[in-house]
Each structure stands twice: as C-alpha cells, then as structure tokens.
Amino acid sequence: MAEPSVYRHFDGMCWPAPGKRLNELEWAARYAGQLTMSERLVAASVLSAFTELVRLPERQRNKIIGELRKGPAATSGEKP
C-alpha cells in the first residue's frame, strides 16, 4: 500500500498538512543526516507554505488553517 499523502487539496490549492509523515520528516531533518530528494522537496514545500501563510490576510489564513487541521488527505478511499 502506498504511503498516504502529506498534502491536503481544497479550493484548488494544495498545502502540506500536519500529520505523522511530517513529524517523521521533521525528526529526520534534525537528527538523521541526509534526506532523500523526495523528503527535501516535501520539506521545501512546508517552508513555502509557512511563508505564504504569514503573508496572507487573517481571514484567508484562518480558512486554510481550518482545512489543514483536518490532517493530510487519505489515499485508497480512506477517510482523512
């Protein structure tokens, strides 16, 4: 079975969402040394998302954060 996505898709947007895989990536970035290219790309998308959230007006930011609190999207027909 494929690993679940770390991203949540809504309103035509794609955002990295907190969850187990991002927690594991954070740990790896701090302690495990080298990251794979895939892990580096996910980490870069998290940094980009953070930057964008800081720039957004409060109303837009709160809407996005509400969606992200639902967690990453599930795959294979699972509920998020």
Side-chain angles (χ1 to χ4, degrees):
M1 182 165 71
E3 289 189 42
S5 176
V6 299
Y7 298 99
R8 183 159 194 81
H9 301 267
F10 56 94
D11 295 339
M13 298 181 288
C14 176
W15 290 83
K20 181 181 177 186
R21 286 196 54 218
L22 283 186
N23 291 345
E24 292 169 351
L25 178 57
E26 178 190 3
W27 185 92
R30 290 177 191 270
Y31 305 110
Q34 291 187 339
L35 300 176
T36 67
M37 179 56 82
S38 177
E39 291 169 329
R40 290 171 46 199
L41 291 172
V42 171
S45 74
V46 172
L47 294 171
S48 177
F50 172 79
T51 301
E52 183 62 20
L53 282 174
V54 170
R55 289 181 184 161
L56 287 173
E58 183 178 10
R59 176 179 250 170
Q60 283 182 284
R61 182 174 52 245
N62 289 345
K63 182 180 177 185
I64 291 168
I65 290 170
E67 278 294 322
L68 296 178
R69 286 183 175 154
K70 295 176 184 177
T75 57
S76 306
E78 297 175 62
K79 300 280 185 200

